[in-house]
Structures are given as C-alpha cells and as structure tokens.
Amino acid sequence: MKIAVAGAGALGGRVGIQLHEAGVDVTLIDKWEEHVNAINEKGMEVHTEDKVYQVPVKAKLLEDIDESYDLIIILTKAMYAEDMLQALYEKNSIHAETAILTMMNGLGHGDRLAKYVSKDRIYLAVTMWTAGLKGPGQIVLTGSGGIQIQRADGIASKMTEEINDIFNTANLNSIISSDVQHSIWAKATLNSVLNPLCSILDKRIGEFAAYGAVIEMITPIIEEIIEVAAARGINLDFDASLEKIKAAFPDSAAGLHYPSMHQDLAKGVQTEVDYLNGKISEYGKEYGIKTPNNDMITHLIHQLEMKNH
Ligand code: NAD
C-alpha cells in the first residue's frame, strides 16, 4: 500500500518514520520547504530520551507531488486540512479508491473530509501518541501511545483491517474501534478544558489543577459538551470525562506540561480552538443548546490569537 502523510510536522513525522522503519512505502508531504529539504538531505533527525538517530524517510513539498496514494493520513493542524486535501485533489493524488484517514485532534473532521471522498473511504482515528518538533527535519519522541480507528460510516471493511495491521507492524499500537466517535469526543472534552484554560491563565496543567475550586470551575464546560454530544448521539459520561481530565493533573502525567494550544499561542500561530470549544458552540446553535462557557472560551482564545498578529 502506497501511503502519504499529509502534514508531516511533529505527529506526522512520528507516524511517518515509524511506517518507514516498518518497510512501508510512505511519503511525507509538507509545504514547509526547510523541513522537507532537511529530511531529504540527512533524513528525519529523531530525538528520544536516550539517543538521536536519522531515518531516511522520503519527503516531498506539496507543490512537487506528482503521484497518487492508496492511503492519505491527514496530519496538518485541523484548520489546514481542507487546503491540503484540495491541493492533493487538484494534483490527482486522490484516485478512485484512495482512503483518507484523519488523526487530527478536534471535532467534525469526518464531515469536512466527506466533501472530497465518500464516507466509505474516510477513516477516523484518535491517538494518544505525542510528538514534538525541535526544528526543520527534527522531531522529539517520548512516551508511548496507541491509535483507535474506524471507517467513518461505522461499517467494518478489509481496508480497515489492512490499515490497522500496517499501523501495528509499525508498532503504533492500533485497534479497530466499534465507536471511535466516542473516543474522539472524550479526547476533545479533555482538550477543550485543559488547552484553552491553561493558555488563558498561562499555567502548566499541574499549576492549573492546584486551584482549590478547579472542579467547580470546569464542570459547566464539561456539562455543555456532554449535552451537545448527546444531541449528536454520543453518550459521554460526566464522571468518566472528569476522571480523564483529572488523570492529566499529576506531574507524573501531564502536570509539568503546557498544552499544545499554549505553545501555539507562544509561537504566534493559529490554534485549533474552532475545532474544540468553537465546534461545541457551533453544534450548540444547530441544536438550540446554549453553550455560554464554550462560547466565551472561544472568544478569549481568538482574542489571544489576535494579540499575536
Ligand atoms: P505540527 O504543526 O507539528 O505539524 C503540522 C504540519 O502541517 C506542519 O509541518 C505544517 O508545515 C504542515 N502544514 C500545515 N498546513 C499545510 C498545508 N496547507 N500544506 C502542507 N503542509 C501543511 O502539528 P502536530 O503537532 O503534528 O499536530 C497535527 C495534528 O495532530 C493536530 O490536529 C494535533 O492536534 C494532532 N495531535 C498532535 C499531537 C502531538 O503530540 N503533536 C498528539 C495528538 C494529536
């Protein structure tokens, strides 16, 4: 199977090098020229806790793509996924049977991708793997993770099994889910609480958690998400959602870290808030559900994004 990772930054880099190391025909596609050139000149430089090594994975600039792929894994930030797909479509990189898999954080990606291919060719994935970018052609990999995948129309298929097998050959710890939307919403709930609040407050997750009334503070945000999720047929449990967030609090978990949204604002780049709290507000309006907490959070993050430009 010929695979492309479209958006080959931190996480795309991780998935790409692990597929390459497993002997898969994989191409990293990105529009960041310095990054692509560095990968092609000396391989992707991978930094782990105990070693630095080079992986000679193929990388191409989006503008130089002249081939099609059987599977395209979209790993741009959420707001650039459609630009990426449109460009690949115009370059005939999406053939009649190409499968498109999204592993991005946030909500609503299946519906957005359905503008380009039918739902029986879209695969939704959620991952607990993490990765960081050190510089052009350099990624930092720590910890372990896993992937859950399911075809967007919920129907089992041979292709789902093939993708799952390839991911496992690449040690990505993949499982086929029978309800990936639930996992996507559960992760989006965590991200919609910790990402914007730690960014607005300029706090590490552990510092945020140290506030005595933190549970009281986050409860209404979670409740709005659960109500909107229920309107879309996804049954999130309040206690389980809260436990998942609390599990990130200790230093031994994510307590010492700033969430990625904080890092995006520090770098002066756009955040994914419109696919987290912003999506909750958008769906809320669609279903006549009031979401004042998520609305305000979205506005505050947009204000912070403006400050950067
Ligand atoms: P990143 O910024 O490191 O990488 C995104 C890459 O996409 C960049 O290299 C950028 O140049 C490229 N890109 C953006 N727009 C493009 C376009 N129009 N054409 C071509 N290339 C384009 O981001 P990331 O951290 O790898 O995150 C990617 C997605 O994965 C996000 O949705 C994120 O929330 C999710 N995610 C990340 C992690 C993580 O630990 N990094 C973990 C789980 C999920």
Side-chain angles (χ1 to χ4, degrees):
M1 191 186 302
K2 209 165 145 192
I3 300 183
V5 179
L11 192 61
R14 178 192 269 279
V15 171
I17 64 125
Q18 289 196 214
L19 289 171
H20 173 86
E21 285 174 324
V24 176
D25 178 357
V26 61
T27 304
L28 303 187
I29 301 175
D30 209 283
K31 61 165 195 186
W32 181 14
E33 199 168 346
E34 228 186 322
H35 185 54
V36 170
N37 288 344
I39 299 167
N40 284 325
E41 276 160 26
K42 55 182 180 54
M44 181 76 89
E45 188 174 289
V46 181
H47 294 244
T48 66
E49 267 147 30
D50 50 12
K51 57 179 178 175
V52 178
Y53 60 101
Q54 321 285 339
V55 180
V57 59
K58 267 186 284 180
K60 279 193 175 185
L61 266 178
L62 180 57
E63 63 204 51
D64 296 337
I65 296 297
D66 54 3
E67 57 188 357
S68 65
Y69 303 94
D70 304 313
L71 171 65
I72 298 175
I73 302 171
I74 302 285
L75 269 170
T76 59
K77 291 281 185 148
M79 50 283 186
Y80 306 122
E82 275 155 286
D83 288 352
M84 171 59 91
L85 269 174
Q86 182 65 34
L88 291 174
Y89 192 77
E90 284 165 12
K91 288 183 165 294
N92 297 320
S93 296
I94 303 175
H95 61 62
E97 305 211 332
T98 300
I100 313 270
L101 182 144
T102 157
M103 213 183 283
M104 299 176 291
N105 278 333
L107 302 169
H109 302 320
D111 293 337
R112 295 163 66 214
L113 301 193
K115 289 182 213 151
Y116 297 90
V117 296
S118 53
K119 285 213 167 171
D120 59 348
R121 286 163 54 198
I122 297 174
Y123 292 81
L124 305 178
V126 61
T127 185
M128 293 311 286
W129 285 105
T130 59
L133 259 180
K134 193 171 160 67
Q138 298 173 312
I139 54 172
V140 183
L141 306 184
T142 51
S144 65
I147 299 176
Q148 294 177 41
I149 57 167
Q150 189 181 24
R151 207 167 84 169
D153 59 8
I155 297 171
S157 72
K158 196 164 162 279
M159 184 66 169
T160 317
E161 281 170 29
E162 281 177 30
I163 297 170
N164 190 55
D165 288 348
I166 288 173
F167 283 171
N168 282 322
T169 311
N171 295 321
L172 285 163
N173 303 335
S174 182
I175 56 163
I176 298 173
S177 169
S178 57
D179 191 3
V180 80
Q181 283 289 2
H182 186 276
S183 306
I184 288 172
W185 276 78
K187 190 173 185 202
T189 306
L190 168 93
N191 286 335
S192 298
V193 171
L194 295 181
N195 265 287
L197 295 182
C198 290
S199 303
I200 294 162
L201 295 166
D202 191 18
K203 284 190 169 184
R204 292 171 203 269
I205 290 171
E207 292 168 327
F208 170 71
Y211 176 53
V214 70
I215 304 302
E216 188 186 325
M217 181 182 177
I218 65 178
T219 290
I221 307 167
I222 303 171
E223 285 174 344
E224 286 177 10
I225 298 174
I226 289 178
E227 198 183 344
V228 169
R232 291 185 63 83
I234 288 123
N235 290 313
L236 293 178
D237 175 69
F238 179 82
D239 291 337
S241 303
L242 191 58
E243 283 314 308
K244 195 174 168 74
I245 293 167
K246 280 163 72 181
F249 289 170
D251 286 358
S252 56
L256 296 173
H257 298 277
Y258 289 105
S260 60
M261 190 177 283
H262 185 282
Q263 295 164 26
D264 290 339
L265 288 169
K267 278 192 259 172
V269 299
Q270 211 188 325
T271 73
E272 293 183 303
V273 73
D274 288 340
Y275 302 89
L276 296 166
N277 312 80
K279 260 300 174 221
I280 299 301
S281 300
E282 190 186 311
Y283 289 149
K285 285 194 187 80
E286 211 176 305
Y287 295 100
I289 297 168
K290 292 209 179 316
T291 57
N293 291 284
N294 283 282
D295 299 353
M296 180 54 78
I297 288 173
T298 308
H299 288 310
L300 290 170
I301 295 297
H302 283 162
Q303 288 267 10
L304 288 171
E305 285 173 338
M306 281 175 70
K307 207 171 142 189
N308 282 327
H309 292 113

